[in-house]
Amino acid sequence: MSSENLETSVLIVGGGPTGLFASILFSKCKIPHILIERRVDVIDAPAAHVINVRTAEIFRQAGIDMDALYALDHHPEARLITWSQLPGAPVLGQLDISANKESLKARDLASQDHSANISQHLLERFLRSIVEKSEYADIRFGVKWEGFSDSQNKISKVSETDSKKYLINADYVVAADGASSSVSRALGIQMIGPDNLATFLNLSCEVDLENLPSGSGTLLYWLMDPEMRGVMVVHDPKRLAVVMQLIDVPHETFDDYDDARCESLLDKIFRGNSYRLIHKSVWRMTAQIAENFRQNNVFLVGDSAHRFPPTGGLGLNTAIADVHNLVWKLAAVINHDLGVEPRERLLDSYEIERKPVAQRNTDASNLNNQKMMEVVEALGLDPSKANLLPKIMNSFLIRHLPQHLKQAIKELLLRPARALIAAAAADDQEGERIRDRISNAVENQEEHFNTLGLDLGYVYKKGVVSSDAALTPESEVMTYTPSFTGGARLPHRTIERDGRLASTLDLVNYNSFLSLKSGETREIEFPTFGYSVTEVDVAELDMTGMDLNLNEGEYLLVRPDGHIAARGHF
């Protein structure tokens, strides 16, 4: 790794999944670039784990081996969301996300791809193995971004782990450096929205959970025990789970959870199953959107631009769509001699198009987080009193009592909530009545886990789209409504071409526009920013059952990212 001063077209700051995938797309566009990441290696402690349908489609278009990608799903049978006092305890409520057959059918019709449960560290290693083979990518782990050294934000100061410092001069900077983005802070970009909805202790554990009585198909456990409030995400039922324990700030802090307390907590959660704690960290849940996604030649993507509650699994997927939207635009500016007006229009369209999507996803995630309290209330607990235990136990008086007295007081405080849990688990009429109430609240959470409309049905109302895109309706959260009009993603339809079955999405090339046309070709007036236009006459395709409905002389112009730019007449 050279530590001399460097020059490049694009500097990507951040080597998580977002930055790595940006590198893949820049390589696909033959754009030389440098990626720096302060970590020396991937940390085997997953955060995100849901790859939604649209992200899978985007990966396919980028040339990623989909069989190899799907093989990273170590919990393919995951279908249950379970509410119980602890894993393995009697089930108080359960949502089977595969039970809605109409929804499953709609998913199958909407795409040739499907969602997957892929741990973030596995995805990072997979993407890194791809980018490191590219002749266009200079990948540098163990390099920290220190700031800009010029007023134009083109020259970045960086340092290696051995304290060597050098400069990188880049025409454009893509900030993929996460929720604590150094680039965003250096630019003074404000985050809008609540900055601390909750604080969690994340405990990544090597553990075998296959024999738990609540079922090997559980993806997520909501832990109802008042002492261990939080969730457990099962990334791999044979070997990996992450416990997210709520820390009641300001009554307690991360420092209160030393190794001994964490082990005591995990002993109770895993109930005799052997485990190994492999990573411990703290995470603050927010719901924020950056005031600006672009500042001159710097672009914020992923968590540097938006931060969601995890309820919905939208964070990583929104980030992948960010770079999918951005890179073809930067490639057009770098590879083609655009004038000032079209260049600025194109670059400005990144924020114009992606910010509303990020806002909608933030709102949906936040609503999901709030709705989860319905299950707590159905059990008979008062969510507003959830912090009483840490508040009392961490008060000055209680902290200085002998340990046996503190334990006695804690057990006394826990008794009412645990009595409610015991009543709900009881095999009697009262228990059945409480569980029915919980079941009704659980059914109301389906929108949290079924977001096909959000995933596929977002529409770019303004930007590099025709004016009629403003009239294209967006899908509801759970229900995807296909649309062959401006701003929408080109719907998936099975087609036959050259004797082979394919998808309409397979016609979209990331290095060109696509014109689906009917009849004689004439010039399309919509700007394509230096990109060629690949023409496909619908007469060449087996359009049986297709609802495209192109009349003679009509065309559908599709952008490199698969969104429809315009529908018109020659």
Side-chain angles (χ1 to χ4, degrees):
M1 181 190 298
S2 170
S3 58
E4 299 175 356
N5 294 342
L6 304 171
E7 292 189 5
T8 187
S9 295
V10 179
L11 171 64
I12 303 170
V13 181
T18 308
L20 291 169
F21 185 63
S23 173
I24 289 173
L25 290 181
F26 279 121
S27 291
K28 192 171 183 66
C29 296
K30 299 182 180 180
I31 302 293
H33 60 280
I34 296 172
L35 181 150
I36 61 172
E37 165 57 48
R38 61 179 180 173
R39 295 171 300 163
V40 175
D41 201 357
V42 174
I43 298 174
D44 290 330
H49 61 97
V50 176
I51 302 299
N52 71 23
V53 174
R54 183 55 183 152
T55 295
E57 291 177 347
I58 291 170
F59 283 167
R60 181 184 292 274
Q61 189 201 23
I64 287 174
D65 183 335
M66 297 306 290
D67 289 337
L69 177 75
Y70 286 134
L72 297 175
D73 186 344
H74 292 175
H75 199 0
E77 303 304 319
R79 60 184 179 83
L80 300 175
I81 312 300
T82 299
W83 283 259
S84 60
Q85 181 176 1
L86 294 169
V91 172
L92 304 176
Q94 202 162 60
L95 178 67
D96 186 342
I97 56 180
S98 67
N100 188 332
K101 301 306 178 185
E102 289 188 10
S103 177
L104 291 180
K105 182 180 179 181
R107 290 183 215 177
D108 290 340
L109 291 174
S111 180
Q112 63 183 323
D113 286 300
H114 59 82
S115 60
N117 183 50
I118 300 175
S119 302
Q120 181 172 320
H121 66 295
L122 299 180
L123 179 63
E124 284 188 28
R125 291 192 186 279
F126 177 71
L127 297 178
R128 185 176 175 182
S129 71
I130 296 172
V131 303
E132 288 179 336
K133 297 173 184 175
S134 171
E135 63 181 297
Y136 297 100
D138 181 351
I139 307 301
R140 297 172 175 243
F141 272 61
V143 177
K144 181 182 179 182
W145 189 85
E146 300 280 5
F148 291 110
S149 67
D150 68 322
S151 59
Q152 294 182 313
N153 301 330
K154 289 195 171 187
I155 302 176
S156 291
K157 299 176 288 185
V158 302
S159 62
E160 297 179 7
T161 52
D162 60 4
S163 299
K164 290 181 181 177
K165 298 180 184 292
Y166 53 99
L167 303 176
I168 300 177
N169 189 339
D171 295 325
Y172 297 95
V173 176
V174 175
D177 53 339
S180 301
S181 172
S182 299
V183 177
S184 176
R185 286 201 309 272
L187 296 173
I189 296 175
Q190 298 296 312
M191 300 300 296
I192 309 301
D195 64 353
N196 193 355
L197 295 173
T199 302
F200 288 92
L201 171 72
N202 281 12
L203 302 173
S204 300
C205 303
E206 187 179 284
V207 62
D208 186 345
L209 299 171
E210 279 201 305
N211 295 322
L212 284 181
S214 50
S216 60
T218 293
L219 170 64
L220 188 66
Y221 287 91
W222 289 87
L223 307 181
M224 306 295 282
D225 189 278
E227 187 181 9
M228 286 156 281
R229 292 175 299 126
V231 299
M232 183 173 76
V233 183
V234 182
H235 290 259
D236 181 342
K238 294 181 179 179
R239 61 179 62 88
L240 181 62
V242 176
V243 173
M244 297 172 58
Q245 165 78 9
L246 185 64
I247 299 177
D248 276 294
V249 178
H251 310 301
E252 56 183 0
T253 69
F254 177 67
D255 293 335
D256 292 321
Y257 287 84
D258 57 16
D259 289 347
R261 184 174 179 184
C262 289
E263 288 176 8
S264 175
L265 182 76
L266 294 172
D267 286 344
K268 294 172 183 176
I269 289 174
F270 294 130
R271 301 162 63 103
N273 285 303
S274 61
Y275 67 88
R276 183 173 68 90
L277 177 60
I278 56 179
H279 189 75
K280 179 174 72 170
S281 62
V282 68
W283 174 73
R284 192 173 75 241
M285 184 169 73
T286 66
Q288 295 181 297
I289 302 289
E291 190 173 23
N292 307 110
F293 284 20
R294 177 196 179 193
Q295 189 156 313
N296 299 323
N297 64 310
V298 182
F299 298 84
L300 308 186
V301 295
D303 285 356
S304 70
H306 43 72
R307 303 159 193 175
F308 310 155
T311 36
L314 299 172
L316 172 60
N317 295 290
T318 307
I320 295 299
D322 286 346
V323 296
H324 192 233
N325 178 287
L326 174 64
V327 171
W328 72 268
K329 297 172 180 179
L330 283 174
V333 171
I334 294 168
N335 286 335
H336 308 298
D337 186 18
L338 303 180
V340 173
E341 191 279 329
R343 181 191 71 204
E344 291 305 301
R345 178 193 172 191
L346 187 60
L347 296 182
D348 281 344
S349 72
Y350 167 64
E351 178 179 322
I352 291 169
E353 293 176 353
R354 292 304 300 166
K355 193 172 182 179
V357 177
Q359 186 64 63
R360 189 182 185 201
N361 289 350
T362 301
D363 294 342
S365 300
N366 209 12
L367 179 61
N368 288 337
N369 183 54
Q370 294 168 7
K371 282 173 62 178
M372 278 296 164
M373 292 303 102
E374 295 174 3
V375 182
V376 177
E377 292 170 345
L379 178 60
L381 295 171
D382 183 350
S384 67
K385 297 179 180 178
N387 67 344
L388 280 180
L389 178 66
K391 183 177 181 180
I392 293 172
M393 296 307 298
N394 287 283
S395 65
F396 178 82
L397 177 62
I398 301 297
R399 272 183 176 270
H400 291 83
L401 289 176
Q403 182 61 36
H404 71 282
L405 287 179
K406 286 196 290 186
Q407 186 62 32
I409 292 171
K410 183 167 75 170
E411 291 299 326
L412 185 65
L413 293 170
L414 291 171
R415 190 176 299 166
R418 285 180 172 164
L420 287 172
I421 293 172
D427 188 16
D428 57 24
Q429 286 187 336
E430 176 64 10
E432 185 175 351
R433 185 183 66 81
I434 298 172
R435 289 193 297 276
D436 285 345
R437 195 169 64 209
I438 293 173
S439 179
N440 290 333
V442 165
E443 287 178 8
N444 199 34
Q445 309 304 315
E446 185 180 2
E447 196 171 272
H448 177 161
F449 304 99
N450 180 1
T451 57
L452 188 67
L454 275 185
D455 300 342
L456 300 181
Y458 56 85
V459 175
Y460 297 144
K461 301 282 190 176
K462 297 179 181 179
V464 185
V465 291
S466 56
S467 59
D468 62 355
L471 304 177
T472 301
E474 289 193 307
S475 297
E476 298 297 322
V477 172
M478 289 176 54
T479 306
Y480 167 59
T481 304
S483 176
F484 288 94
T485 52
R489 153 195 171 269
L490 177 68
H492 157 74
R493 293 293 184 269
T494 300
I495 58 174
E496 184 174 334
R497 194 181 192 199
D498 300 327
R500 295 174 57 248
L501 291 178
S503 167
T504 45
L505 296 174
D506 294 330
L507 301 174
V508 183
N509 187 310
Y510 199 67
N511 290 306
S512 68
F513 276 68
L514 167 70
S515 173
L516 287 173
K517 67 185 184 69
S518 176
E520 183 181 349
T521 299
R522 287 194 291 274
E523 185 177 353
I524 294 174
E525 295 184 359
F526 195 91
T528 58
F529 304 96
Y531 281 106
S532 62
V533 178
T534 301
E535 295 184 340
V536 176
D537 197 308
V538 293
E540 300 175 17
L541 309 173
D542 181 354
M543 307 295 282
T544 304
M546 187 76 157
D547 48 355
L548 174 56
N549 298 323
L550 277 184
N551 298 317
E552 183 75 16
E554 282 191 319
Y555 66 85
L556 198 69
L557 184 65
V558 184
R559 311 180 332 178
D561 62 0
H563 279 257
I564 298 167
R567 180 169 184 150
H569 294 80
F570 288 116

